[in-house]
Amino acid sequence: MTAFEAISLDKHYGEFHALKDINLSVEPGEFIVLVGPSGCGKSTLMRTIAGLEKVTSGDLKIDGRSVTGLLPKERDVAMVFQSYALYPHMTVAENIGFGMKIAKRPKAEIQEKVLAAAKVLKIEDYLNRKPKALSGGQRQRVAIGRAIVRDPKIFLFDEPLSNLDAALRVEMRVELARLHKQLDATMIYVTHDQVEAMTLADRIVVMNGGVIEQIGAPLDLFNRPRNKFVAGFLGQPPAIFVRLDGHEVKGSRLQVQFSGTSVDLPAPENQTGTPVEIGLRPDFFELDPENPDLSPQVEVVEQLGDTTLLYTRLPDGQQATVQLPGQVTAKSGDRIPLRIKCKSPLIFDEAGRNLFA
Ligand code: ATP
């Protein structure tokens, strides 16, 4: 049985169509990450699942049962937001157990569940502290603890780590991955952080303007994005798109010409569209002084220690970001000899469909 299903879900706010025919099926124990540009409907989808927003049409099912008409508390989901919303006058233990206390659960059961959740989250030493005496990461753990003791059918996380500093985010990200394994829980998670999406998700859902553009395993989406939007959205720094000057199919090979060079690729299987654009990810380039395809001019150099980012301009004036392994000596104004190796080629037709998807 699926843990969660959205079936032909639509949500209007007056005239505004915020969710358009959303169909999503989540398996028990799956970690689903929703990504997309600001305003694309991620939070709206989460809020409709939680029951905080009414759907305009369509159905939501949890464990095969329709919950569309149910109140939030009847749905058996727990939501963790970006703001922890802890009660400042209560201790950590009281905050975690508050929902159970309201539900009039026996004291011993509350104590037992609070301690178990605190152990999972490694905050058992702070149970008697008030939130103000905790770090941001510890506070977020308390908020997650509050969700864990409810033992919900689905955990909903709406950007839970975005208030934390970079180091804590990484730490909490790993903790969340561990927690997901340990609880074997179904989780739906919203983030703007590409690394969180790529590392935590079993499957990523890419949204855009209220629609789902593509659903798939992180590397499948990265390597075989269905269209230009998904190709440009996943990947940091993002891919650039260059108009083709021409193309030729030679048996099982496809040759594409752009920016004064040409690249030889395996012809896509089941090709139906006409290639008009190529997508180049920063790591599609390698240094090759002997036999370069292109020698773009370097504008800005960023040394990251293990890699070097070069912001360059192609002969036709387009900007291209180039990521090279190691510490490459280059300065602004240099021409850098590069060979192109499309690891997972991105070639688009006029409608923006990837011919290699
Ligand atoms: P962000 O990444 O910035 O949090 P999001 O993808 O979560 O964005 P939503 O908060 O779901 O986006 O909003 C989707 C769209 O619906 C936005 O254009 C927003 O302005 C609109 N919207 C959200 N809530 C309401 C509301 N109560 N009334 C009218 N429009 C709304």
Side-chain angles (χ1 to χ4, degrees):
M1 193 195 298
T2 50
F4 170 76
E5 250 182 304
I7 304 159
S8 306
L9 193 72
D10 275 87
K11 170 72 188 170
H12 290 261
Y13 290 112
E15 294 283 286
F16 184 72
H17 201 169
L19 295 177
K20 301 170 187 164
D21 193 25
I22 298 291
N23 288 285
L24 174 64
S25 188
V26 179
E27 295 302 313
E30 238 189 328
F31 201 126
I32 295 289
V33 177
L34 307 181
V35 297
S38 189
C40 70
K42 305 178 294 291
S43 295
T44 303
L45 178 55
M46 295 291 261
R47 291 171 60 80
T48 57
I49 299 171
L52 302 172
E53 294 282 357
K54 275 207 168 99
V55 308
T56 307
S57 61
D59 201 9
L60 292 164
K61 288 185 177 175
I62 292 175
D63 276 356
R65 180 178 73 125
S66 175
V67 297
T68 310
L70 298 186
L71 294 170
K73 62 178 185 199
E74 297 166 335
R75 296 190 178 198
D76 217 353
V77 301
M79 192 147 171
V80 179
F81 296 93
Q82 174 179 350
S83 57
Y84 332 114
L86 302 180
Y87 297 108
H89 58 286
M90 291 185 196
T91 63
V92 167
E94 286 163 347
N95 263 288
I96 297 177
F98 185 66
M100 296 178 74
K101 190 174 166 196
I102 294 296
K104 299 205 163 42
R105 306 304 307 164
K107 248 191 179 152
E109 182 192 330
I110 298 177
Q111 258 177 2
E112 189 189 322
K113 280 201 156 180
V114 168
L115 187 62
K119 276 190 177 151
V120 167
L121 295 163
K122 302 199 192 82
I123 47 171
E124 67 264 43
D125 293 341
Y126 310 120
L127 283 171
N128 294 319
R129 282 200 202 173
K130 299 269 172 66
K132 69 172 188 298
L134 299 176
S135 72
Q138 289 161 345
R139 281 180 212 169
Q140 193 53 289
R141 281 166 213 249
V142 178
I144 296 170
R146 226 170 18 187
I148 290 177
V149 293
R150 293 183 50 196
D151 195 16
K153 292 212 164 79
I154 303 175
F155 284 86
L156 302 174
F157 291 100
D158 197 348
E159 299 192 55
L161 308 187
S162 54
N163 279 347
L164 308 179
D165 68 35
L168 251 182
R169 269 186 99 118
V170 175
E171 193 186 314
M172 281 300 290
R173 188 178 82 214
V174 177
E175 288 295 325
L176 270 174
R178 225 174 255 145
L179 186 69
H180 175 240
K181 278 216 164 63
Q182 201 172 341
L183 299 177
D184 200 18
T186 308
M187 295 182 170
I188 305 180
Y189 189 101
V190 169
T191 184
H192 278 109
D193 185 315
Q194 296 243 345
V195 181
E196 273 174 32
M198 293 297 288
T199 54
L200 287 172
D202 291 314
R203 285 187 303 155
I204 295 178
V205 176
V206 181
M207 295 182 68
N208 180 25
V211 303
I212 292 180
E213 292 278 356
Q214 195 172 359
I215 305 175
L219 288 181
D220 285 343
L221 290 199
F222 188 82
N223 293 332
R224 281 177 296 283
R226 180 180 293 159
N227 56 33
K228 226 176 118 177
F229 178 84
V230 178
F233 191 78
L234 291 181
Q236 257 325 318
I240 56 145
F241 301 100
V242 182
R243 209 68 199 170
L244 298 179
D245 298 320
H247 76 277
E248 248 176 292
V249 182
K250 289 184 181 162
S252 61
R253 309 294 295 175
L254 168 69
Q255 211 168 53
V256 293
Q257 289 101 35
F258 61 95
S259 296
T261 189
S262 92
V263 175
D264 185 57
L265 304 166
E269 292 163 23
N270 315 319
Q271 183 192 338
T272 50
T274 305
V276 298
E277 217 167 359
I278 184 167
L280 298 169
R281 294 202 186 279
D283 66 342
F284 280 13
F285 300 94
E286 62 189 2
L287 267 183
D288 190 347
E290 306 297 317
N291 200 9
D293 291 321
L294 290 165
S295 294
Q297 189 159 33
V298 175
E299 292 189 332
V300 175
V301 180
E302 286 182 352
Q303 294 287 356
L304 301 178
D306 53 349
T307 57
T308 306
L309 280 182
L310 303 173
Y311 296 89
T312 72
R313 213 165 269 280
L314 299 176
D316 62 358
Q318 294 219 60
Q319 288 183 328
T321 311
V322 175
Q323 182 170 25
L324 298 172
Q327 301 174 3
V328 176
T329 317
K331 58 182 188 317
S332 174
D334 285 355
R335 291 209 169 268
I336 189 109
L338 298 172
R339 207 173 160 70
I340 296 171
K341 46 166 186 150
C342 296
K343 291 170 185 162
S344 303
L346 303 170
I347 301 285
F348 303 94
D349 67 10
E350 201 59 77
R353 283 184 298 249
N354 182 10
L355 305 187
F356 284 90

